[in-house]
Amino acid sequence: MKRPHLNQALVVAALPILAGSGLAWADCEATAGARRVEGRDVVLAFKTRPAKIKVGELFAVDVTVCPKKGTVKGVAVDASMPEHKHGMNYKPTVKKNATEGFTATGMMFHMPGRWQFAFEVDSTAGRERLLDTVAVD
Amino acid sequence: MAGVAADDSAFSSAEKQAIARHGPWPQPVLRDPSNRGSGNADAIALGRALFFDARLSVKGDMACATCHQPARGLADGRDRAQGRERLDRNTPGLWNVGLAHWFGWDGAADSLWSFALRPILNSLELGATPAHVAKVLGGDPAYACLRRNAFGKAAATKASDDQMMVDAAKALAAFMETLNSGKSPFDELHDVLARGDAAAVAQYPADARRGLRIFAGRGNCAVCHFGPNFSNGEFHEIGIPYLLGAGRVDAGRQGGIKAVRADKFNLLGAFSDDASRASGSRTRHVTENHANFGQFKVPSLRNVELTAPYMHNGKLATLRDVVHHYSELSEDRLHQDGEALLKPLRLTDAEADDLVAFLRTLTSRQFPAVAPPLKPTCEPRK
């Protein structure tokens, strides 16, 4: 699908299966409680569930990806502690939601400190890795 | 550092925050959705009786309480447990075990009840078979009655031996969930600090206060020994040797992950009572990596004073030895770069004593009575 000029709204209408990824990038402007990361081809907004990440407890992440161009094919979610040089002990699964965006379940931060989310976005414009660091205590 | 006298002064707000993270205590033990006996009085009564009942062992001479002794913090005081032979690991105390998510030093079980099956079946421990457990449960009228009350009439009439054994394990788990220790001097400090009662804060001993500052500060201890139960519930490697001699090694978490995945009694399997399987999320998502080799569960430090010797292999005899280990840690021994936060602390003797004094304030002042019950009684329910 190499039609970067195609109106996103039309993509949504024509291909409901891509509804989750067919947002305009304005939809990723800071919404209440969401964090926003801007990349080359996409803007991404995410929220954790529960909102406060508790050390040693599983949580989920709701991710909305708004392409600046192209359409989003998928997202992989991971996280690590850059200072400790280790990742998570759990491997999240990412599912595309029926209505909007993606949800990663099975995340766990097992230590307090700085954790870096890594979102690997695959879109028709290419692959891109977006990072965002949060403090957990 | 302005010397000992200044260390006795009021806690800074950062220190208060660090202390607040280790409370409040007690923590609620949530019902285990995978165990329909969890929180049920009859299941607890059955579990309590079974815990002390040597008939559960194939030779009639060993019970859970043989190793998990109430007078020894529900451990046994040995470096490594003594079953039919000497086992490879140290017997952990069981106080507050209901707050954990993984069980065993390697987390080879994902529920308290599935862990309980291990000593029941292990030929070096109780050495029982499902048929043997079924006979013990069915053969004692009080047990049969408690089991029916707790787990339902249908389950009582046409249960397989496996199911009977799982019910016994679930009753044991329901009992172990009640093993919650009361407040310790540290918790009293936590509470009076929260209330801002300066006079009461001053009751907390000065040496323990200095030790607490090391624990929460440059010792980095609270990173792993995190939260109200002083454990993040996960697995780390702190440089305790895992060679068992004669070419054998204890692979720790690496073996634990393999074991829990292969276990037909895990939370994703048919014996879980949680129809949603939501309680199996950790098991579903747990992932293996090379660092798991030689990692062991971060033990809770509550009541740690009662359960010497220490570590998965009981290699360290006293709390002073443990503190010495962290103080003189050999960085070459830590095989993974993951634990960059572990650095030899090079504590002075006085600081080491302070850290031990702090650890001793984690001993509860009250424990529920855990005595072998008189013969349990049971009124059949409709």
Side-chain angles (χ1 to χ4, degrees):
Chain A
M1 259 205 314
K2 280 200 187 127
R3 284 191 291 178
H5 302 298
L6 192 71
N7 182 306
Q8 291 299 325
L10 281 180
V11 175
V12 174
L15 295 166
I17 197 158
L18 284 179
S21 51
L23 298 158
W25 74 291
D27 291 321
C28 287
E29 288 306 313
T31 50
R35 294 180 68 92
R36 177 177 183 278
V37 202
E38 175 150 10
R40 184 190 64 220
D41 302 327
V42 300
V43 181
L44 179 149
F46 71 97
K47 270 188 193 181
T48 63
R49 257 184 299 132
K52 179 163 166 52
I53 299 168
K54 286 174 91 181
V55 172
E57 297 292 336
L58 291 170
F59 65 94
V61 191
D62 295 318
V63 187
T64 311
V65 190
C66 308
K68 297 179 185 176
K69 56 182 182 199
T71 51
V72 176
K73 295 193 278 189
V75 186
V77 184
D78 202 356
S80 65
M81 286 192 103
E83 281 93 2
H84 299 176
K85 294 177 277 180
H86 64 67
M88 293 188 293
N89 293 341
Y90 298 83
K91 190 174 161 48
T93 356
V94 181
K95 283 214 176 90
K96 186 176 228 157
N97 295 325
T99 50
E100 187 191 298
F102 301 84
T103 295
T105 53
M107 306 275 299
M108 186 199 286
F109 293 171
H110 60 276
M111 283 180 163
R114 273 162 41 85
W115 282 87
Q116 186 174 61
F117 283 95
F119 301 94
E120 192 96 33
V121 179
D122 187 13
S123 78
T124 51
R127 268 183 184 276
E128 187 174 6
R129 193 175 160 80
L130 291 94
L131 304 174
D132 190 40
T133 303
V134 295
V136 178
D137 69 356
Chain B
M1 284 255 147
V4 172
D7 270 352
D8 292 344
S9 63
F11 289 104
S12 70
S13 63
E15 285 166 347
K16 284 184 191 161
Q17 243 172 36
I19 294 166
R21 275 193 213 119
H22 291 295
W25 192 261
Q27 288 280 303
V29 175
L30 303 177
R31 253 199 79 249
D32 174 359
S34 75
N35 175 3
R36 66 199 193 287
S38 175
N40 174 293
D42 288 312
I44 293 168
L46 176 58
R48 173 187 293 271
L50 289 173
F51 193 84
F52 291 94
D53 192 341
R55 287 180 298 175
L56 214 49
S57 74
V58 74
K59 293 196 177 153
D61 60 351
M62 199 189 293
C64 309
T66 306
C67 297
H68 299 287
Q69 301 168 17
R72 291 195 156 101
L74 297 167
D76 55 11
R78 298 173 183 273
D79 55 352
R80 283 156 49 186
Q82 185 64 45
R84 300 274 163 234
E85 290 166 21
R86 194 160 177 251
L87 305 187
D88 288 335
R89 294 187 184 153
N90 172 262
T91 305
L94 298 182
W95 288 112
N96 311 306
V97 71
L99 294 174
H101 295 289
W102 296 110
F103 303 89
W105 284 102
D106 57 0
D110 58 5
S111 70
L112 197 45
W113 58 267
S114 65
F115 187 92
L117 296 169
R118 301 180 151 256
I120 291 175
L121 293 171
N122 182 355
S123 62
L124 297 181
E125 296 177 73
L126 306 196
T129 55
H132 175 80
V133 178
K135 219 170 74 198
V136 174
L137 276 198
D140 182 311
Y143 285 4
C145 165
L146 287 169
R147 178 169 166 275
R148 181 180 324 184
N149 283 353
F151 295 106
K153 209 168 188 170
T157 48
K158 44 178 192 283
S160 66
D161 288 351
D162 264 4
Q163 190 61 60
M164 293 279 271
M165 177 179 70
V166 167
D167 287 352
K170 286 180 176 170
L172 281 162
F175 164 62
M176 290 189 282
E177 284 167 2
T178 68
L179 298 173
N180 301 306
S181 63
K183 284 191 201 281
S184 66
F186 172 80
D187 300 310
E188 290 160 6
L189 170 69
H190 172 278
D191 296 354
V192 295
L193 264 182
R195 284 206 306 270
D197 180 345
V201 169
Q203 300 289 305
Y204 189 71
D207 54 353
R209 178 179 315 216
R210 292 190 299 267
L212 166 53
R213 287 194 166 118
I214 299 171
F215 187 88
R218 79 183 151 108
N220 265 331
C221 313
V223 175
C224 298
H225 297 284
F226 180 86
N229 203 26
F230 291 84
S231 169
N232 65 355
E234 289 290 318
F235 302 82
H236 293 275
E237 204 260 283
I238 58 163
I240 302 293
Y242 40 80
L243 295 172
L244 291 167
R248 289 193 313 132
V249 293
D250 190 334
R253 185 56 175 154
Q254 189 183 71
I257 293 176
K258 286 189 168 56
V260 78
R261 284 192 175 142
D263 187 358
K264 72 169 171 174
F265 298 108
N266 74 21
L267 288 176
L268 303 175
F271 291 90
S272 164
D273 297 326
D274 178 5
S276 79
R277 294 292 183 274
S279 48
S281 288
R282 281 185 168 75
T283 310
R284 189 175 298 117
H285 289 285
V286 70
T287 173
E288 224 182 310
N289 60 60
H290 73 276
N292 295 137
F293 186 86
Q295 285 183 332
F296 293 90
K297 187 163 86 167
V298 177
S300 166
L301 298 181
R302 288 193 174 269
N303 308 302
V304 69
E305 180 185 19
L306 308 177
T307 57
Y310 300 106
M311 305 300 172
H312 72 273
N313 53 11
K315 273 272 194 280
L316 302 180
T318 64
L319 285 178
R320 195 61 157 73
D321 294 340
V322 172
V323 168
H324 184 263
H325 169 81
Y326 284 110
S327 187
E328 302 305 320
L329 212 59
S330 135
E331 280 171 281
D332 314 334
R333 226 201 223 147
L334 296 170
H335 72 275
Q336 59 175 114
D337 46 15
E339 310 304 0
L341 63 140
L342 278 174
K343 292 264 179 317
L345 295 173
R346 310 268 180 244
L347 301 173
T348 64
D349 279 357
E351 288 170 329
D353 288 342
D354 290 344
L355 195 44
V356 171
F358 162 69
L359 293 171
R360 293 216 164 102
T361 66
L362 301 178
T363 307
S364 293
R365 291 198 202 269
Q366 324 102 33
F367 296 90
V370 190
L374 301 171
K375 187 116 193 62
T377 54
C378 177
E379 287 295 317
R381 281 206 200 114
K382 291 282 143 59

